Amino acid sequence: MSLENAEHNLREFGKELNLTGLAFDENHTCILGIDNTFSLHLTYEPNSDRLYLYSPILDGLPKDPKTLLLLYETLLEGSMLGGHMAGGGIGVATKEELILMHCVLEMATADASTLRRFAPIFVEAVERWRDIAQKIIEGRFDKEKDAPKLAPVPGSGHHAGGKPGYNNPGRPDQKPGDSYIKI
């Protein structure tokens, strides 16, 4: 059933792009070129009933350790809770010198237009991160200007006047160092 849903989602997505005959290959994968600049990979995994979307952010890692560290730090900050990664994350294959951004759609619960609605959000995020990675590699990255602005992490104490390092759950008897609420 979920494979049929994934195939239906792919066909609906193809209609949106005016691409007839969009289909998965024998490995349940479909690869689309996006504006001749990068590829969007769609792979259905039958054992998990999931449709994986993934795209390269960078092909070839920087050789300079400081640049590589800045790249990793920026990507990790941006992937905090999936906030700037369309709800997904980043993976690094160091031997292959490849960085991929990925997201997952649950086909068991998705409707027929889930991919059509979600893909533009994912592609926009990939384009933004490809631009950031390129600026870092070229030494043109300004963290204040170019990095996505991160929302406060829930419970971090860096919101609404909270104290750094103090997770204030709103209980008057809660003190710094108390970490859990017993239920």
Side-chain angles (χ1 to χ4, degrees), residues 124-140:
E124 181 181 314
V126 168
E127 288 173 332
R128 185 172 51 250
W129 282 104
R130 287 176 58 82
D131 181 57
I132 290 170
Q134 195 60 44
K135 284 180 178 179
I136 290 171
I137 287 179
E138 293 172 358
R140 301 182 298 115

Side-chain angles (χ1 to χ4, degrees), residues 31 92 104 119 140 142:
I31 303 172
V92 178
V104 177
R140 301 182 298 115
D142 179 344

Side-chain angles (χ1 to χ4, degrees), residues 8-36:
H8 193 208
N9 265 271
L10 188 58
R11 283 191 303 274
E12 289 298 312
F13 182 47
K15 288 178 190 175
E16 182 77 14
L17 300 173
N18 292 319
L19 295 173
T20 58
L22 205 55
F24 293 114
D25 64 15
E26 64 278 355
N27 296 316
H28 303 291
T29 297
C30 178
I31 303 172
L32 300 169
I34 307 295
D35 294 333
N36 294 322

Side-chain angles (χ1 to χ4, degrees), residues 169-171 174 178-183:
R171 280 187 21 218
Q174 186 84 19
D178 293 347
S179 56
Y180 297 102
I181 298 173
K182 292 183 181 179
I183 298 176

Side-chain angles (χ1 to χ4, degrees), residues 76-89 150-155:
L76 284 171
E77 285 176 6
S79 67
M80 178 78 70
L81 301 177
H84 295 282
M85 304 281 177
L150 301 178
V153 175

